[in-house]
Amino acid sequence: MKKSYLILSVLLLFFGCKDEVKKVVPKSEPVTIFPTVTNPRNIKYGSLFDEENPTWISTANYNFNYIGKLKDSISLGIEAFSIAEFPQNRKKGTKIEKRQRPNAEYYIEWDKKNRYSFMKEQKVEIQISSKKINNFYTALLRNRTKDTIAIGFGDRIPLILEAKNKLGKWKPIQERFVYMCGNGVGTIILPPKEIAITLVPIFKGNYKTQLRLSMGNNKSNAFLGNISYRQFESKFDENGNYREEYKNEMKMRGNNDL
């Protein structure tokens, strides 16, 4: 009798522990498999940012290089991605518009009412591939919600690059691009489960650290890279004037316009 009671106690303890383990294991979200991004014509993408290798905090300039359905293979094409407002003197829905503006469905003109939540308020998956395309990495953004969301303005995605400083804290090394005038700047939308692809610059500095893309609460996977440590700092002082160190740097480069 004692032996049966002992076996029963062990079984209850075993299955009880199993149930407890199941409760504490968090449910993981599905991860999008990164598509094969190709550049078949060996397009040479120039620098899309202020400088190809900045030494101070720079302005982010993430453009749409693809937007649409998730596919196994995506070609970035030879033409610059454009979804800006179609000229008013052209008729919409024509063959010319579809050829010159194939992504018009993702663009909401600035004077149209819309109630789309912005991506920083929603769950957006951001993945960065380790595969290089010239001097860039590719980044994929996927709408994980059941709703269509706003993902950009004009032709830009408001992402910034962050890096870990020597204290191990994430700090921005880019500032958001801001349009001087908001009029005429439309909204880019991303339907559920669809994706956008942009290019992330590869810097060449003497400080090796972890980097990631950030937009609100949405963060990408971290990856290793090199930056200049001064990319955490602005070239302007608290009064909005150029720092003396920056002026001296420009003089050494032969720029005497400051």
Side-chain angles (χ1 to χ4, degrees):
M1 190 69 179
K2 289 183 177 180
K3 187 176 181 180
S4 299
Y5 179 79
L6 180 61
I7 293 173
L8 180 61
S9 299
V10 171
L11 289 173
L12 288 173
L13 180 62
F14 174 75
F15 286 108
C17 288
K18 283 189 69 177
D19 290 340
E20 186 178 355
V21 170
K22 285 182 180 179
K23 291 178 183 178
V24 298
V25 174
K27 183 179 179 182
S28 60
E29 294 185 4
V31 177
T32 300
I33 298 176
F34 208 99
T36 300
V37 180
T38 60
N39 185 13
R41 301 187 186 184
N42 194 29
I43 305 167
K44 300 295 184 182
Y45 291 99
S47 176
L48 301 176
F49 298 80
D50 286 346
E51 300 176 68
E52 185 172 353
N53 194 35
T55 53
W56 302 81
I57 195 168
S58 56
T59 302
N61 193 11
Y62 295 96
N63 293 272
F64 291 86
N65 297 95
Y66 173 83
I67 191 168
K69 304 290 184 182
L70 177 64
K71 300 185 291 186
D72 292 335
S73 179
I74 295 174
S75 175
L76 296 186
I78 195 167
E79 295 181 354
F81 188 86
S82 177
I83 47 183
E85 186 175 356
F86 199 65
Q88 294 182 0
N89 60 342
R90 303 282 183 87
K91 292 183 178 181
K92 297 182 179 181
T94 62
K95 292 183 179 179
I96 295 177
E97 182 194 18
K98 291 179 180 179
R99 184 173 67 250
Q100 296 184 356
R101 193 183 175 218
N103 301 289
E105 62 190 284
Y106 297 97
Y107 186 85
I108 306 297
E109 296 171 5
W110 70 275
D111 57 348
K112 303 294 183 183
K113 292 183 179 180
N114 67 79
R115 298 180 180 178
Y116 296 112
S117 296
F118 192 54
M119 65 177 288
K120 69 179 180 180
E121 303 164 357
Q122 296 284 0
K123 178 63 178 176
V124 178
E125 179 186 344
I126 308 174
Q127 288 179 266
I128 298 177
S129 171
S130 59
K131 183 179 179 181
K132 297 179 181 179
I133 294 183
N134 294 316
N135 56 329
F136 295 95
Y137 290 122
T138 52
L140 178 149
L141 295 85
R142 187 183 187 189
N143 181 359
R144 278 288 184 196
T145 74
K146 297 179 180 179
D147 303 313
T148 295
I149 61 175
I151 196 174
F153 301 106
D155 56 0
R156 290 177 172 83
I157 312 174
L159 294 160
I160 61 169
L161 198 60
E162 296 179 338
K164 274 190 175 181
N165 63 15
K166 293 178 180 178
L167 298 177
K169 295 184 178 181
W170 288 103
K171 296 292 183 180
I173 60 170
Q174 290 179 331
E175 298 173 319
R176 279 186 54 184
F177 174 89
V178 178
Y179 285 98
M180 296 300 293
C181 178
N183 291 339
V185 178
T187 302
I188 312 302
I189 60 173
L190 190 66
K193 298 183 180 179
E194 296 201 16
I195 68 166
I197 288 181
T198 189
L199 297 174
V200 184
I202 299 174
F203 299 126
K204 299 176 182 178
N206 56 8
Y207 177 64
K208 190 172 185 177
T209 186
Q210 288 185 307
L211 299 101
R212 69 182 183 185
L213 278 178
S214 174
M215 182 58 216
N217 294 324
N218 300 291
K219 313 292 181 181
S220 75
N221 55 298
F223 63 99
L224 282 176
N226 286 73
I227 65 170
S228 167
Y229 202 78
R230 281 192 317 194
Q231 284 179 251
F232 290 113
E233 303 176 24
S234 173
K235 56 190 174 186
F236 299 101
D237 60 23
E238 61 276 6
N239 298 317
N241 300 317
Y242 286 116
R243 295 177 182 270
E244 290 300 322
E245 189 177 1
Y246 177 73
K247 291 180 181 180
N248 294 334
E249 181 181 316
M250 290 299 100
K251 289 180 180 180
M252 292 180 64
R253 293 185 184 183
N255 185 349
N256 298 315
D257 296 332
L258 297 179

